[in-house]
């Protein structure tokens, strides 16, 4: 993985909140505490696969659970585990170490950093390729102590503050690839880690629920328990967040996704209806409803192009968005290149008429299919859809030399 802006900011923007249902989720530190609760919560929410990582062999009765064996400080073990994971939507960096110290011994800081900073960093690097393919999410389980140091565990606080900083930079650097980064600012939770503290604690189950609620809402920072919740009000509109966003703007933008637009003398409602009449303008065999939020439809053109789209946004007269759940293009070395991309139609009333802006978010010039796919879209949007809107009939059956889009 390279995290340099040149390769990270590919212009694959358009991130959506993640849903746990039907996702592949990896949880580190899955054998006890919050990690164990996260595994159960992911299963309860309908995860397709849960990779449960631990340092010791772990057995789970649910067949959706795949145990992985690695120590966060062992690069070879992490690599071997990563080689077993082909597809991943959510990586939860939960495993962590905490012990009391008084800053008298630098080794305490080093030991905390080795697990809580470098450990999570190594796991993130190893699993980033499948997360990038799925335009997935990284969830870093940190601590409220990252924001307000806890002087009983200063070395731990230092490591969590460092991991928070890492989360902020990763968020900016990976946004261009559509990978979201969530930072969980956990407060006292009733696990082995806080056994010695006689204070009110949240249950690991409640914390696990709140973490996935936050991920599904798309919250960048998640405050999953009563103590940390005190930090939540105003957080998103606060000065720290504003400066983080300003700093993120320093990351150079990468190549833009394919986009094309046209303007017609029709109402936004007419344009919206025509876009949703997908069979009227896109060639090939289409199965399933194309005009209902949450519906899925498949597209197939001979053996060349197959894809399955979920309708993720349907705002009458304003916007249509599809998420490509799986794609297959026979003529590219990476046939799944469309998988995880988004296709959006923005409809705007202008003085000149109604503008339709089409964007295939994630189809960027570095993709092998960019030339043929963008020329095919150019035809289907600029000619076929436009004709359907203005003349009542598209040209879905006229092929372009696209290789099949
Ligand atoms: N509990 C709290 O009050 C609290 C508050 C704020 C934040 N947090 C954070 O929440 C996360 C989960 O903590 P928890 O409360 O569930 O703690 P826990 O019950 O002590 O569990 C810690 C987990 O991390 C694993 N782990 C530790 N070092 C590891 C290493 N080098 N390689 C692989 N795995 C390692 C442990 O594995 P083993 O079983 O093999 O040791 C265990 O599964 C941590 O990141 C922690 O910092 C907890």
């Amino acid at each position: 993985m390279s995290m340099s802006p040149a390769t990270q900011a590919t212009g694959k923007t358009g991130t959506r909140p993640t849903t746990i249902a039907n996702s592949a989720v990896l949880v580190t530190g899955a054998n006890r505490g919050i990690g164990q609760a996260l595994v159960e919560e992911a299963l309860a929410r309908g995860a397709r696969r849960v990779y449960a990582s631990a340092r010791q062999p772990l057995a789970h009765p649910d067949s959706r659970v795949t145990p992985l064996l690695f120590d966060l400080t062992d690069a070879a073990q992490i690599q071997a585990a990563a080689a077993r994971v082909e597809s991943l939507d959510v990586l939860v960096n939960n495993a962590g170490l905490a012990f009391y110290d008084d800053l008298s011994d630098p080794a305490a800081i080093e030991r905390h950093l080795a697990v809580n900073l470098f450990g999570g960093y190594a796991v993130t690097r190893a699993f980033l390729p499948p997360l990038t393919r799925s335009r997935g999410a990284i969830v870093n389980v940190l601590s409220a102590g990252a924001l307000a140091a806890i002087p009983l565990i200063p070395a731990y606080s230092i490591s969590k503050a460092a991991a928070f900083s890492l989360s902020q930079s990763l968020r900016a650097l990976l946004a261009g690839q559509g990978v979201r980064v969530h930072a969980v600012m956990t407060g006292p939770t009733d696990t082995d880690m806080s056994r010695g503290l006689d204070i009110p604690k949240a249950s690991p189950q409640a914390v696990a629920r709140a973490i996935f609620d936050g991920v599904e809402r798309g919250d960048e920072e998640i405050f999953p328990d009563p103590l940390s919740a005190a930090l939540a009000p105003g957080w998103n509109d606060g000065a720290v967040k504003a400066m983080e966003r300003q700093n993120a703007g320093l990351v150079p933008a990468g190549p833009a996704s394919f986009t094309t637009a046209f303007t017609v003398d029709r109402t936004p409602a007419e344009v919206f209806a025509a876009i949703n009449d997908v069979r009227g303008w896109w060639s090939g065999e289409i199965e399933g409803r194309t005009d209902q939020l949450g519906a899925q439809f498949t597209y197939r053109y001979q053996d060349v192009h197959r894809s399955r789209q979920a309708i993720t946004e349907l705002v009458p007269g304003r916007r249509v968005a599809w998420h490509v759940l799986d794609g297959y293009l026979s003529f590219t070395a990476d046939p799944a290149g469309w998988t995880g991309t988004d296709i959006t139609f923005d409809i705007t009333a202008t003085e000149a008429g109604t503008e339709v802006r089409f964007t295939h978010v994630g189809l960027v010039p570095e993709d092998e299919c960019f030339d043929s796919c963008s020329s095919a879209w150019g035809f289907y949007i600029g000619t076929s859809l436009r004709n359907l809107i203005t003349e009542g009939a598209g040209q879905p059956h006229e092929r372009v030399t696209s290789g099949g889009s």
Side-chain angles (χ1 to χ4, degrees), residues 228-253:
S228 69
L231 297 165
W235 177 262
N236 277 327
D237 306 321
V240 171
K241 208 67 200 163
M243 195 171 288
E244 181 193 337
R245 292 191 191 109
Q246 191 178 320
N247 292 347
L250 298 170
V251 177

Side-chain angles (χ1 to χ4, degrees), residues 153-278:
I153 41 174
Y156 171 83
S157 301
I158 289 168
S159 70
K160 291 292 182 178
F164 179 46
S165 179
L166 174 72
S167 306
Q168 290 177 314
S169 289
L170 279 176
R171 182 179 288 152
L173 291 167
L174 297 178
Q177 290 188 330
V179 176
R180 292 163 298 286
V181 178
H182 304 270
V184 184
M185 316 315 287
T186 323
T189 308
D190 193 8
T191 68
D192 296 337
M193 188 174 277
S194 56
R195 207 50 86 218
L197 279 179
D198 190 16
I199 52 170
K201 297 170 206 168
S203 75
Q205 291 75 19
V207 166
R209 276 195 301 277
I211 290 175
F212 285 139
D213 282 348
V215 169
E216 295 196 317
R217 272 196 308 270
D219 293 352
E220 293 188 340
E221 272 67 50
I222 298 169
F223 302 93
D225 59 278
L227 183 134
S228 69
L231 297 165
W235 177 262
N236 277 327
D237 306 321
V240 171
K241 208 67 200 163
M243 195 171 288
E244 181 193 337
R245 292 191 191 109
Q246 191 178 320
N247 292 347
L250 298 170
V251 177
S257 295
F258 173 75
T259 187
T260 182
F262 62 83
T263 301
V264 283
D265 183 18
R266 291 290 184 279
T267 65
E270 288 169 320
V271 167
F272 180 75
I275 291 168
N276 293 326
D277 176 13
V278 183

Side-chain angles (χ1 to χ4, degrees), residues 29 31-32 34 55 71-72 94 96 142 156 160 186-187 189 191:
N31 55 311
R32 57 193 173 103
I34 297 172
R55 290 195 276 194
D71 190 299
L72 259 62
N94 163 76
L142 308 175
Y156 171 83
K160 291 292 182 178
T186 323
T189 308
T191 68

